[in-house]
Amino acid sequence: MKKVIKRDGRKELFDKEKIVRAVELSFEDVENEISEKAHLKAREIANYVSNIEKDLSVEEIQDIVEEKLMASNYKNIARNFITYRYERTKERERNSQFMRDVSEKLAASNVQNQNANVDEHSFGGRMGEARNSLMKKIALDYIVSDMSRENHLNNEIYIHDLDSYAVGMHNCLTIPFDKLLKEGFNTRQTDVRPARSINTAFQLVAVLFQLQSLQQFGGVSASHLDWTMVPYVRISFRKHFNEGMEYIEESDLRQESDELPIDADFYKQFPKVYKYALNKTEKELMQAVQGMYHNLNTLQSRSGNQLPFTSINYGTCTLPEGRMVIKALLEGSIEGVGKIRKTPIFPCGIFQCMNGINRKPGDPNYDLFKLALKSTSKRLYPNYVNVDWSVNAGYDKNDPKTFVSTMGCRTYNGLDINADEGTNPQTKDGRGNICPVTIIMPTLAMEADKDVEKFMKLLDKKIGEAKDMLIERYNYICSQAPESAKFMYENGLMLGYDGKNVESAMKHGTLALGQIGLAETLQILIGTDHTTEEGMQLAKRIEQLFKDRCAEFKKKYKLNIGVYYTPAENLCYTAMKKFKAQYGVIENVSDKEYFTNSIHVPVWKKMSPFEKIDIESQLTGYSNAGCITYVELDSGAQNNLEALEELVNYAMDKDIPYFAINVPSDTCLDCGYTDEFNDECPMCHSKHIQQLRRVTGYLTGDYKTAFNWGKQKEVEDRYKHSNKMKDWNKKDEI
């Protein structure tokens, strides 16, 4: 009996009714009916195939159907059949590629390190990556609009974290620790009482970071941890003071007030007890900080053995309790974690620089700024954020919840257009980046035939589409039930939640309209980047368009749509791969393995750190949803803290909002020696070395194993700006 050979090699009995039905459906699609002539033509073709005395493959049968339709002058019907066949082929190919992708993820046979914080070789990582492939496919094929899908697939506008899109999860959040530590909170299994000591408070910070990280796909942050911990330092101090009073039989003078500052005259009238209580409190605080560092570097919460992406902002509290906390956080960072004192990957420490508070000699926290610089020189953390940044104008100097704070990667929550009456619109707590998209500008420059005016028109169009993509995702997120993130909503972690409507909370967050590859875009359009005057003029025109359109969108839609300078940890590599596949290798554009991040100066440019700051500071003010500026130094920074201080202050004075100093940090995993020595420890000659580098705003493990290929090559290309510091200083003297 006649057989049909299927695409997978299986054979099954020939059924000519399937051919009849396929041809009739093509007639129906074109003519909106199945006429008698259509039925006859379908039968004629089916009978012809049936009379061929050999087994036929599916592809051979479809070829015959096409030929017969074309020969019978049913060209419209033939074209419909061809289109249907093409779409079915594409769908099969997509499904086949999907299964190959899933198989690779499950076997860890093609590890890409898309997220440097995920171990793709582990059981959890393999399962997570396979699941993510499925979720991304669901999002692209069934959830996003055709416009969004085409922009994403065409390498024009990238949709971040598609796997999380599928379930309607949002990105990141600054946690209102003041409220949660004071009032306590509920979890799925139990309730947690308010903190009653500094040790408990720091333990709960780690717990809250971990719990909230499961409600979202991005990072979690504390906006002013030094101020937050003041009440709990006082509680612990009071307890230790009362213990000391018992030793001298003065129990009738026990202090019961939790509000009394630790430098109150009441305490100081008992100098021996005061010193005892102070020492005990400092020891408890140091143990609490060490516990937090260890917890945040060991408590893995997401699949792939992923640690929560945590950030802590601090540095402005001048109360004695707050100063103690800042000092302990910095000393804990310098000391490191574990038996060989490794650099903590998390939390990302962020020191808040503030005029009159910590930047100059004579400022009350200047000594802590100096300690922060010492920590940065050895551990890369803390980074430095500018409380007096012009974009954050209107903050309340008496309310640290309104100070500039950020997520480690760079996310910033600016002026809230939906701030409730009585709430400062610069409040950061309870707000986050809801979702980002990124415009891949080099692709648009090529599509515009390297013409500046065509590019500007196309960019304007794509900024509008990016806005639509953000609102589309925002609406999908807002359609989710509060039970999807019960911990977050039940405990009021998001600002403004009314107890019923998810949007009541989400509307206070930021919709981030990002970008990548400014330097390459300028090279395509005018043959130079923004390190030249000509390039900078066009760069400012481009960034002004982003700023103007986002301001218009924010006002029109009453949503916090802002300009975002995308971290692009994975995108810098994947977008370049797609770009090369379409346009080939172009000098100064695609002759690397990565695109330059957002508006950054290309990492290989030879200039002093001050020159790099001068260039990027001309563009950072166009962003109101997050940006960062880096400089790259050698290990000599540990012996030149004055230079680091000059750099940080220079960046702050240039109105840089968020500044980080990259110093190489190589750690011998056998003896613990830390410095820059690359492949062999100079102390014990071990080759068991961790080479720690910054991936975006965060640190991660050894960059040679944790970073994707593009990011590895970018790290290797980074020019050390300290090489030019002497030339800059000489120029100043002249």
Side-chain angles (χ1 to χ4, degrees), residues 26 339 379:
S26 290
K339 63 182 180 180
R379 302 298 188 184

Side-chain angles (χ1 to χ4, degrees), residues 5 31 36 51 230 255 447 512 657 685 732:
I5 304 169
E31 299 178 347
E36 183 61 26
N51 290 330
V230 167
Q255 178 55 241
E447 291 175 350
H685 303 291
D732 266 1

Side-chain angles (χ1 to χ4, degrees), residues 197-199 232-247 254-255 267 272-285 287:
S197 71
I198 191 62
N199 190 40
Y232 309 102
V233 174
R234 290 178 177 175
I235 292 172
S236 285
F237 182 87
R238 176 182 59 78
K239 289 179 180 177
H240 295 310
F241 179 84
N242 287 341
E243 290 170 4
M245 294 299 285
E246 290 176 358
Y247 293 141
R254 287 167 57 93
Q255 178 55 241
Y267 290 133
K272 289 185 178 180
V273 177
Y274 179 77
K275 184 177 181 180
Y276 167 84
L278 196 61
N279 287 338
K280 292 282 283 186
T281 303
E282 287 174 344
K283 287 180 181 178
E284 182 186 349
L285 174 58
Q287 289 174 345

Side-chain angles (χ1 to χ4, degrees), residues 321-354:
E321 300 88 349
R323 283 178 46 79
M324 283 176 63
V325 171
I326 298 167
K327 184 171 182 286
L329 289 169
L330 291 169
E331 289 179 342
S333 173
I334 292 168
E335 183 176 345
V337 295
K339 63 182 180 180
I340 61 169
R341 308 302 184 194
K342 292 172 68 175
T343 295
I345 302 300
F346 293 109
C348 173
I350 304 165
F351 192 86
Q352 294 168 296
C353 293
M354 189 174 184

Side-chain angles (χ1 to χ4, degrees), residues 364-378:
N365 282 2
Y366 177 69
D367 59 329
L368 297 173
F369 177 41
K370 299 284 281 188
L371 188 61
L373 295 168
K374 180 180 178 181
S375 177
T376 298
S377 72
K378 184 175 183 180

Side-chain angles (χ1 to χ4, degrees), residues 126-342:
R126 285 151 58 187
M127 290 177 63
E129 289 298 300
R131 180 204 65 215
N132 291 348
S133 295
L134 172 61
M135 300 302 279
K136 288 176 182 178
K137 180 174 174 58
I138 290 172
L140 273 180
D141 290 352
Y142 302 107
I143 297 175
V144 308
S145 66
D146 291 341
M147 179 272 293
S148 296
R149 182 187 309 107
E150 290 303 310
N151 273 315
H152 183 85
L153 295 177
N154 291 341
N155 209 33
E156 295 172 321
I157 307 176
Y158 183 78
I159 306 171
H160 291 266
D161 301 282
L162 271 167
D163 52 323
S164 299
Y165 196 141
V167 294
M169 191 180 281
H170 87 285
N171 187 7
C172 65
L173 187 70
T174 298
I175 297 175
F177 281 106
D178 295 357
K179 168 182 179 293
L180 295 163
L181 295 180
K182 181 180 179 180
E183 299 176 2
F185 52 91
N186 296 320
T187 68
R188 184 178 176 186
Q189 293 83 7
T190 187
D191 63 282
V192 177
R193 295 188 297 273
R196 297 299 298 163
S197 71
I198 191 62
N199 190 40
T200 302
F202 269 103
Q203 287 181 24
L204 293 182
V205 165
V207 169
L208 285 162
F209 270 145
Q210 188 176 36
L211 288 170
Q212 178 56 29
S213 73
L214 297 171
Q215 313 291 297
Q216 55 181 60
F217 61 84
V220 280
S221 175
S223 64
H224 54 282
L225 194 59
D226 45 351
W227 291 93
T228 296
M229 289 298 171
V230 167
Y232 309 102
V233 174
R234 290 178 177 175
I235 292 172
S236 285
F237 182 87
R238 176 182 59 78
K239 289 179 180 177
H240 295 310
F241 179 84
N242 287 341
E243 290 170 4
M245 294 299 285
E246 290 176 358
Y247 293 141
I248 62 172
E249 298 181 353
E250 294 282 359
S251 57
D252 58 321
L253 292 174
R254 287 167 57 93
Q255 178 55 241
E256 299 301 329
S257 173
D258 290 342
E259 302 298 321
L260 205 62
I262 65 173
D263 61 348
D265 290 340
F266 174 84
Y267 290 133
K268 289 184 176 180
Q269 65 180 314
F270 305 98
K272 289 185 178 180
V273 177
Y274 179 77
K275 184 177 181 180
Y276 167 84
L278 196 61
N279 287 338
K280 292 282 283 186
T281 303
E282 287 174 344
K283 287 180 181 178
E284 182 186 349
L285 174 58
M286 198 63 215
Q287 289 174 345
V289 166
Q290 289 172 340
M292 181 192 71
Y293 278 121
H294 279 83
N295 283 334
L296 294 180
N297 285 277
T298 56
L299 294 176
Q300 298 163 351
S301 63
R302 294 174 180 155
S303 62
N305 303 326
Q306 187 177 1
L307 296 168
F309 280 76
T310 55
S311 303
I312 54 174
N313 293 260
Y314 55 85
T316 64
C317 186
T318 58
L319 300 173
E321 300 88 349
R323 283 178 46 79
M324 283 176 63
V325 171
I326 298 167
K327 184 171 182 286
L329 289 169
L330 291 169
E331 289 179 342
S333 173
I334 292 168
E335 183 176 345
V337 295
K339 63 182 180 180
I340 61 169
R341 308 302 184 194
K342 292 172 68 175

